[in-house]
Amino acid sequence: MKDHVELRSGAYADSVTLLQVSRAVQAAPGVVAAQVAMATGLNLEVLTGMGFEVPASSPNDMVVALRLDDDADVATALAAVDAALVPTRPSSGDTTQAPPRTTGAALRHGGPGAVVLVSVPGASATVEAMDALEAGHDVMVFSDNVPVAEEVALKTYAATRGALVMGPDCGTALLDGVGLGFANAVRPGRIGLVAASGTGCQQLLTLLHHAGETLEGVGVRHALGVGGRDLSSAVGGLATREALRRLDADADVDLVVVVSKPPAPEVAEALAREAEALDTPVELGLLGRGQRDLTAVAEAVLARLGHEAPQWPVHGADNTGPATGPLLRGLFVGGTLCDESMLMAAEALGPIRSNIPLADDLALGEELIVDDHVMVDFGDDALTQGRAHPMIDPSLRNEQIARAAADPATGVILLDLVLGHGAEPDPAAHLAPAITAARSERAIPVIVSLVGTDLDPQGLAAQRDALVAAGAEVHLSNAAATRRALDLLSRTSSRSEGAHQ
Amino acid sequence: MSTSAVTVGATTPTVVTCGADMFADAVAGQAVDVERVDWRPPMPGTQDHLAAVATDPRRPEANRRAVQAMLGVTAHLVDVAPASEVLGLEKGQFLHAGPPIEWERTSGPLRGALMGGAALEGLVEDPEDAVALFESGSSVSLEPCHHRSAVGPMAGVVTPSMWMWVLEDRATGKRTYCSLNEGLGKVLRYGAYGPDVLTRLRWMGDVLGPLLQAAVRGTEEASDVTGILTQMLQMGDEAHNRNRAGTLMLLRDLSPAMVGTIEGGGFGSKDVADALRFVGGNDHFFLNLAMPACKLALDAGRDVPGSTMVVAMARNGTDFGIQVSGTGDQWFTGPAQVAEGLFLGDYGPDDANPDIGDSAITETAGIGGFAMATAPAIVRLVGGSVPDALATTQRMHEITLAENPRWSVPVLEFQGTPTGIDVTKVCRTGILPQINTGMAGAVAGVGQVGAGLVTPPAEIFPQALAALAQAVPGRSL
């Protein structure tokens, strides 16, 4: 082994650079030990400790101390020192920032009016939504499976800040024409919607858009989702109240429409009183036994604007023969559409089994198709835990369509298909084959409510044509579709053969 | 309100999305600006506690209060005096860095420093004899510096005869303390206790401390330590591993009065020259003022019920501990990690002791590793480049509650340093506080072996979060 020690006067590098240089040189071939350092007292101590003999020096000298294998070349090792001393990285000035990791971080420098859309798994949604509220922003919580206590906490806090919490489990919002979540592209206008129901909102949007094709002045400015539980006893309409206040204050809104899944009676009463007190007229479309269906609500809105309702479109009626059995099987991706159909069907057929039943004793277990009239909401929390919403992942519903079709007791299959921003680019491409397969053995009537507009990215006509070609009868109005299914059942099967064989 | 109360579209065309990309795409497809959050699942097992703490109605205001209290403090240097006087420390009482620890579990550098400290106090003749003294435990006691309003770098050992800086918040009269910095290399705080170390400490006790006391008491305007921190950050120090500008500014403040002690103060010109040379030649001298200034600020943010702000990070060479505003004096601890970095001489990772010292109080307050972007001279410890340093500071904004308007970073458009570590944000992002640190030799007596970067053990943040969740009113978890 041989030592090489040299002093470089006037050379300077900071200690961290030199530690790095030393490390780089230590890795060079033939180098046993290396220390490149300014000749300070401390460094001289270190060098002496390593066994180097350092000539007299001042702290402004750079010491290069190398210990080499006997056959190693000093010049090569010194070249390694020089290479390591040259800065390798040109200054790039690149300060590109990593994307924010929390909603709070994203809002740190955000504009004051930014709206936040949260769609992380439900267990983490509240935390992100709180970030938005703390920073003074409105938030839409698409996520479901958020505990109701957290929803109440979010909305109670929002009330102190004048912020709006849309959701949790809010599928749809339309703000100044910008759709969030699943939202249909519609013509702008002077109607404001408040919706405790995502697909109920979409049904109204699409019906009003359709009517507006021929009727002057029909269009929607805002649709504020509030989440399906907002009008429950636990939440007490906290977000609905704020949404009404916003729309009432909006000079560009002439008529407010509230649409909801069946609300808690006392909350509905309070809501009616509050609606009365507003300057802007309010049309209440609250689903429930004996209440109007969504299509009737749309017709009432049109009547308020001085219009007669149009004929709601139907396609593929030629496809539909008589019911092939006694039972109705409704398989929905839209919760409110399912609710609406169930309320209508229960009046005509009696008890309907469901995963979102009208009464507790009608609840379905894990078996989704039972020997009875059945309506399933595939968008319900219990069926979306750990999987995507059926508007994104249709596989679970398609399986159940096949099972219903294989059951000879099935008389009519009632389906929905929802278009709009956020939905599949071509949902009919998944549903049409399932319909074709269902009808391959027997000509089971398949009735579809297709909720969409001609402005939706999927193209309403193309989606409709695909479904019709597969053998479905396609309605724009879910109520009309349901009525048609009930009509087919009542004409073809006697009730005595019905539900319980 | 008469105008539109719903704001998207023309007025503020921005949507922040957190979650499924398809919704962000759908919004972008409508020609609206979208900012996407790069969300990832939180640390395992923290979801329920995060939700509980997020919806704690006290939290937002509590955190605002804690941050405001912290930012409102200014630290002035008001005195220098022995620990026996200002801390009431008695013979046999030893302060140390980090959370509480008993002799049996102490690491090499803490042992070495305690042994040297025992010799300094005359409890033993030879430092080696102190082992038996501490093992018996009869006439000695160990206590964290933090429990006496003090902070100690590295081993942080304080004994009654050591002279302490005394910092005060003029608004409240509250005070914090720190020992005088000994320099680098073989020094007590790195666990070295040889004759040189003790000789230097005795000189500090006999000459430097009294001289600085006279100078501080004789300086008309008390040094504004917070103000020096502001300036040094703009001059390329991050006030943890680099304190060069701060040290020189302190010297500028004190040197006239130091020279003044030659007449009438009873100090010889050689004493003053030695002291000036010692301070000026020790780039870390100001660290021992930066630390208590940070502690003074953070202590003001303590004990706010519902606040999730970290008020101390400290290590004793064995455990890494944090304290949180909303959970009082409770320590949440895990095993201290070995720093990654660069080594002196032919020392290597095997020679290094796990992380030690109260100096992470600087990061807790938003400087040190958090102000990495402002200290280009030391960024190479981060992994080699200026952009990395900028990214480090930016990343720390992800886990903090506020920006410190006083401590701004020129190269980041004078943005304030990220300040007030939020336990919930650490658990949500998995991003751990970045700490700049020195490395002590694992064996007692060795001293410094390198410098580098370290993070706390991740598990202490979920621990603290659980305690915060437990403390939410009406919530039993």
Side-chain angles (χ1 to χ4, degrees), chain A residues 17-44:
Chain A
T17 300
L18 291 174
L19 282 169
Q20 235 176 9
V21 168
S22 300
R23 193 172 59 172
V25 175
Q26 278 155 22
V31 176
V32 178
Q35 183 73 356
V36 182
M38 300 307 291
T40 61
L42 172 63
N43 286 333
L44 291 177

Side-chain angles (χ1 to χ4, degrees), chain A residues 67-316:
Chain A
R67 180 161 297 142
L68 305 171
D69 286 338
D70 287 330
D71 50 352
D73 180 18
V74 173
T76 310
L78 287 174
V81 173
D82 293 336
L85 278 168
V86 173
T88 49
R89 180 191 289 266
S91 71
S92 63
D94 180 16
T95 59
T96 312
Q97 237 191 302
R101 295 280 295 275
T102 62
T103 299
L107 292 170
R108 204 155 64 86
H109 299 297
V115 171
V116 176
L117 168 53
V118 174
S119 58
V120 298
S124 292
T126 297
V127 175
E128 301 298 328
M130 270 306 290
D131 274 7
L133 297 175
E134 271 186 78
H137 298 264
D138 293 341
V139 60
M140 167 168 166
V141 184
F142 178 88
S143 319
D144 54 12
N145 290 302
V146 174
V148 71
E150 291 176 20
E151 176 172 352
V152 171
L154 282 173
K155 289 180 171 175
T156 304
Y157 180 68
T160 67
R161 315 215 71 198
L164 178 63
V165 179
M166 296 176 271
D169 202 5
C170 174
T172 299
L174 186 77
L175 310 177
D176 258 351
V178 176
L180 300 183
F182 299 122
N184 300 95
V186 299
R187 175 180 309 104
R190 300 180 67 84
I191 299 171
L193 298 183
V194 180
S197 135
T199 45
C201 179
Q202 289 192 271
Q203 172 78 95
L204 275 184
L205 285 172
T206 51
L207 291 173
L208 292 172
H209 177 83
H210 176 79
E213 277 173 29
T214 51
L215 303 175
E216 190 73 15
V218 178
V220 175
R221 174 162 167 76
H222 302 302
L224 307 180
V226 292
R229 286 187 308 219
D230 194 63
L231 295 175
S232 67
S233 301
V235 185
L238 282 168
T240 300
R241 196 167 301 141
E242 174 64 18
L244 283 175
R245 188 187 71 72
R246 300 281 185 98
L247 294 176
D248 192 35
D250 190 334
D252 293 323
V253 171
D254 295 339
L255 176 65
V256 174
V257 185
V258 180
V259 57
S260 169
K261 292 180 186 181
E266 78 279 8
V267 180
E269 273 174 44
L271 173 62
R273 278 197 304 277
E274 277 176 46
E276 282 285 299
L278 298 182
D279 295 332
T280 316
V282 179
E283 182 73 36
L284 293 179
L286 311 178
L287 289 181
R289 282 180 209 273
Q291 301 295 318
R292 292 174 301 181
D293 59 58
L294 296 167
T295 303
V297 172
E299 288 167 356
V301 169
L302 294 172
R304 282 222 186 207
L305 298 172
H307 299 298
E308 284 208 21
Q311 196 72 39
W312 304 114
V314 186
H315 292 84

Side-chain angles (χ1 to χ4, degrees), chain B residues 97-135:
Chain B
I101 191 164
E102 58 288 351
W103 171 259
E104 289 68 31
R105 297 180 63 243
T106 51
S107 63
L110 179 49
R111 268 178 193 225
L114 287 167
M115 288 156 66
L120 181 69
E121 295 302 316
L123 296 173
V124 289
E125 192 64 39
D126 182 340
E128 303 289 345
D129 297 339
V131 173
L133 179 72
F134 286 105
E135 275 173 355

